[in-house]
Coordinates of all heavy atoms in Angstrom, one line a residue:
P28 N -28.6 -103.6 16.9 CA -28.1 -105.0 16.8 C -26.6 -105.0 17.1 O -25.9 -104.1 16.7 CB -28.4 -105.4 15.4 CG -29.5 -104.5 15.0 CD -29.3 -103.2 15.7
C29 N -26.2 -106.0 17.8 CA -24.7 -106.2 18.1 C -24.1 -107.2 17.1 O -24.7 -108.2 16.7 CB -24.6 -106.7 19.5 SG -24.9 -105.5 20.8
V30 N -22.9 -107.0 16.8 CA -22.0 -108.0 16.1 C -20.9 -108.2 17.0 O -20.2 -107.3 17.5 CB -21.6 -107.5 14.7 CG1 -20.8 -106.2 14.8 CG2 -20.8 -108.6 14.0
E31 N -20.6 -109.5 17.3 CA -19.6 -109.9 18.3 C -18.4 -110.5 17.5 O -18.5 -111.3 16.6 CB -20.2 -111.0 19.2 CG -21.4 -110.5 20.0 CD -22.2 -111.7 20.7 OE1 -21.7 -112.8 20.5 OE2 -23.1 -111.4 21.4
L32 N -17.2 -110.0 17.9 CA -16.0 -110.4 17.3 C -15.2 -111.2 18.4 O -14.7 -110.6 19.4 CB -15.2 -109.2 16.8 CG -14.1 -109.4 15.8 CD1 -13.7 -108.2 15.0 CD2 -12.8 -110.0 16.5
H33 N -15.0 -112.5 18.1 CA -14.4 -113.4 19.1 C -13.5 -114.4 18.4 O -13.7 -114.7 17.2 CB -15.4 -114.1 19.9 CG -16.4 -113.2 20.6 ND1 -16.1 -112.3 21.5 CD2 -17.8 -113.2 20.5 CE1 -17.1 -111.7 22.0 NE2 -18.2 -112.2 21.4
P34 N -12.6 -115.1 19.1 CA -11.9 -116.2 18.6 C -12.9 -117.3 18.2 O -13.9 -117.5 18.9 CB -11.0 -116.7 19.7 CG -10.8 -115.5 20.6 CD -12.1 -114.7 20.5
L35 N -12.7 -118.0 17.1 CA -13.5 -119.0 16.7 C -13.4 -120.2 17.6 O -12.3 -120.5 18.1 CB -13.2 -119.5 15.3 CG -14.1 -120.5 14.6 CD1 -15.3 -119.8 14.1 CD2 -13.4 -121.3 13.5
T36 N -14.6 -120.9 17.9 CA -14.6 -122.0 18.8 C -15.0 -123.2 18.0 O -15.6 -123.1 16.9 CB -15.6 -121.8 20.0 OG1 -16.9 -121.6 19.4 CG2 -15.1 -120.6 20.8
T37 N -14.7 -124.4 18.6 CA -15.0 -125.7 17.9 C -16.5 -125.8 17.6 O -16.9 -126.5 16.6 CB -14.5 -126.9 18.7 OG1 -15.0 -126.8 20.0 CG2 -13.0 -126.8 18.7
Q38 N -17.3 -125.2 18.4 CA -18.8 -125.4 18.2 C -19.3 -124.7 16.9 O -20.4 -125.0 16.4 CB -19.6 -124.9 19.4 CG -19.6 -123.4 19.5 CD -20.3 -123.0 20.7 OE1 -19.7 -122.9 21.8 NE2 -21.6 -122.7 20.6
H39 N -18.4 -123.9 16.3 CA -18.8 -123.1 15.1 C -18.1 -123.7 13.9 O -18.1 -123.0 12.8 CB -18.5 -121.6 15.3 CG -19.4 -121.0 16.3 ND1 -19.0 -120.7 17.6 CD2 -20.7 -120.5 16.2 CE1 -19.9 -120.2 18.3 NE2 -21.0 -120.0 17.4
L40 N -17.4 -124.8 13.9 CA -16.7 -125.3 12.8 C -17.5 -125.6 11.6 O -17.2 -125.2 10.5 CB -15.9 -126.6 13.2 CG -14.7 -126.4 14.2 CD1 -14.2 -127.8 14.6 CD2 -13.7 -125.5 13.6
A41 N -18.7 -126.2 11.8 CA -19.6 -126.5 10.6 C -20.0 -125.2 10.0 O -20.1 -125.1 8.8 CB -20.7 -127.3 11.1
D42 N -20.4 -124.2 10.8 CA -20.8 -122.9 10.3 C -19.7 -122.2 9.5 O -20.0 -121.6 8.4 CB -21.3 -122.0 11.4 CG -22.5 -122.5 12.1 OD1 -23.3 -123.2 11.5 OD2 -22.7 -122.2 13.3
V43 N -18.5 -122.3 10.0 CA -17.4 -121.5 9.3 C -17.1 -122.2 8.0 O -16.7 -121.6 7.0 CB -16.2 -121.4 10.2 CG1 -15.4 -122.7 10.3 CG2 -15.3 -120.2 9.7
V44 N -17.2 -123.5 7.9 CA -17.0 -124.2 6.6 C -18.0 -123.8 5.6 O -17.7 -123.6 4.4 CB -17.0 -125.8 6.8 CG1 -17.0 -126.5 5.5 CG2 -15.8 -126.2 7.7
R45 N -19.3 -123.6 6.0 CA -20.3 -123.2 5.1 C -20.0 -121.7 4.6 O -20.1 -121.4 3.4 CB -21.7 -123.2 5.8 CG -22.3 -124.6 5.9 CD -23.7 -124.6 6.3 NE -23.9 -124.1 7.6 CZ -23.9 -125.0 8.7 NH1 -23.8 -126.3 8.5 NH2 -24.1 -124.5 9.9
L46 N -19.5 -120.9 5.5 CA -19.1 -119.5 5.2 C -17.9 -119.6 4.2 O -17.8 -118.8 3.3 CB -18.8 -118.7 6.4 CG -18.4 -117.3 6.2 CD1 -19.6 -116.5 5.6 CD2 -18.0 -116.6 7.5
D47 N -17.0 -120.5 4.5 CA -15.8 -120.6 3.6 C -16.2 -120.9 2.2 O -15.7 -120.3 1.3 CB -14.9 -121.7 4.2 CG -13.6 -122.0 3.4 OD1 -13.7 -122.3 2.2 OD2 -12.6 -121.8 4.0
H48 N -17.2 -121.8 2.0 CA -17.6 -122.1 0.7 C -18.2 -120.9 0.0 O -18.0 -120.7 -1.2 CB -18.6 -123.3 0.7 CG -18.0 -124.6 0.8 ND1 -17.6 -125.3 -0.3 CD2 -17.7 -125.4 1.8 CE1 -17.0 -126.4 0.0 NE2 -17.1 -126.5 1.3
L49 N -18.9 -120.1 0.7 CA -19.5 -118.9 0.1 C -18.5 -117.8 -0.2 O -18.6 -117.2 -1.3 CB -20.5 -118.2 1.1 CG -21.9 -118.8 1.2 CD1 -22.7 -118.2 2.3 CD2 -22.7 -118.6 -0.1
C50 N -17.5 -117.6 0.7 CA -16.5 -116.6 0.5 C -15.3 -116.9 -0.3 O -14.8 -116.1 -1.1 CB -16.1 -116.1 1.9 SG -17.3 -115.3 2.9
F51 N -14.9 -118.2 -0.2 CA -13.6 -118.6 -0.8 C -13.7 -119.8 -1.7 O -12.7 -120.2 -2.3 CB -12.6 -119.0 0.3 CG -12.5 -118.0 1.5 CD1 -12.8 -118.4 2.7 CD2 -12.2 -116.7 1.2 CE1 -12.8 -117.5 3.8 CE2 -12.1 -115.7 2.3 CZ -12.4 -116.1 3.6
G52 N -14.9 -120.3 -1.9 CA -15.1 -121.5 -2.8 C -14.6 -122.8 -2.2 O -14.3 -123.7 -3.0
G53 N -14.5 -122.9 -0.9 CA -14.0 -124.1 -0.2 C -12.5 -124.2 -0.1 O -11.9 -125.1 -0.5
L54 N -12.0 -123.2 0.6 CA -10.5 -123.1 0.7 C -10.0 -124.0 1.8 O -9.0 -124.8 1.6 CB -10.1 -121.6 1.1 CG -8.7 -121.3 1.1 CD1 -8.0 -121.5 -0.2 CD2 -8.5 -119.9 1.6
W55 N -10.6 -124.0 3.0 CA -10.2 -124.9 4.1 C -11.3 -125.9 4.4 O -12.5 -125.6 4.3 CB -9.9 -124.1 5.3 CG -8.6 -123.3 5.2 CD1 -7.7 -123.2 4.1 CD2 -8.0 -122.4 6.2 NE1 -6.7 -122.4 4.4 CE2 -6.8 -121.9 5.7 CE3 -8.4 -122.0 7.5 CZ2 -6.0 -121.0 6.4 CZ3 -7.6 -121.1 8.2 CH2 -6.5 -120.6 7.6
T56 N -10.8 -127.0 4.9 CA -11.7 -128.1 5.4 C -12.0 -127.8 6.9 O -11.4 -127.0 7.5 CB -11.1 -129.5 5.3 OG1 -9.9 -129.5 6.1 CG2 -10.8 -129.8 3.8
Q57 N -13.0 -128.6 7.4 CA -13.3 -128.5 8.9 C -12.0 -128.9 9.7 O -11.8 -128.3 10.7 CB -14.5 -129.4 9.2 CG -14.9 -129.3 10.7 CD -16.3 -129.8 10.9 OE1 -17.2 -129.6 10.2 NE2 -16.4 -130.6 12.0
E58 N -11.3 -129.9 9.2 CA -10.1 -130.3 9.9 C -9.0 -129.2 9.9 O -8.3 -128.9 10.9 CB -9.5 -131.5 9.3 CG -10.3 -132.8 9.5 CD -11.6 -132.8 8.7 OE1 -11.6 -132.1 7.6 OE2 -12.5 -133.6 9.0
G59 N -9.0 -128.4 8.8 CA -8.1 -127.3 8.7 C -8.4 -126.2 9.7 O -7.5 -125.7 10.4
Y60 N -9.7 -125.9 9.8 CA -10.1 -124.9 10.8 C -9.8 -125.4 12.2 O -9.5 -124.6 13.1 CB -11.6 -124.5 10.6 CG -11.8 -123.6 9.5 CD1 -12.3 -124.0 8.3 CD2 -11.5 -122.2 9.7 CE1 -12.5 -123.1 7.2 CE2 -11.7 -121.3 8.7 CZ -12.2 -121.7 7.5 OH -12.4 -120.8 6.4
Q61 N -10.0 -126.7 12.5 CA -9.8 -127.3 13.8 C -8.3 -127.0 14.2 O -8.0 -126.7 15.3 CB -10.1 -128.7 13.8 CG -9.7 -129.5 15.1 CD -10.6 -129.1 16.2 OE1 -11.8 -129.2 16.2 NE2 -10.0 -128.7 17.3
R62 N -7.4 -127.2 13.2 CA -6.0 -127.0 13.5 C -5.7 -125.6 13.9 O -4.9 -125.3 14.8 CB -5.1 -127.5 12.3 CG -5.0 -129.0 12.1 CD -4.0 -129.3 11.1 NE -4.2 -128.8 9.8 CZ -4.9 -129.5 8.9 NH1 -5.4 -130.7 9.1 NH2 -5.1 -128.9 7.7

Side-chain angles (χ1 to χ4, degrees):
C29 288
V30 59
E31 302 170 354
L32 197 159
H33 303 301
L35 187 78
T36 59
T37 54
Q38 73 184 86
H39 293 98
L40 288 176
D42 292 332
V43 78
V44 170
R45 285 192 289 269
L46 182 63
D47 181 298
H48 277 274
L49 278 174
C50 295
F51 314 119
L54 186 62
W55 287 0
T56 64
Q57 183 164 318
E58 290 74 19
Y60 280 102
Q61 173 70 54
R62 287 192 295 270

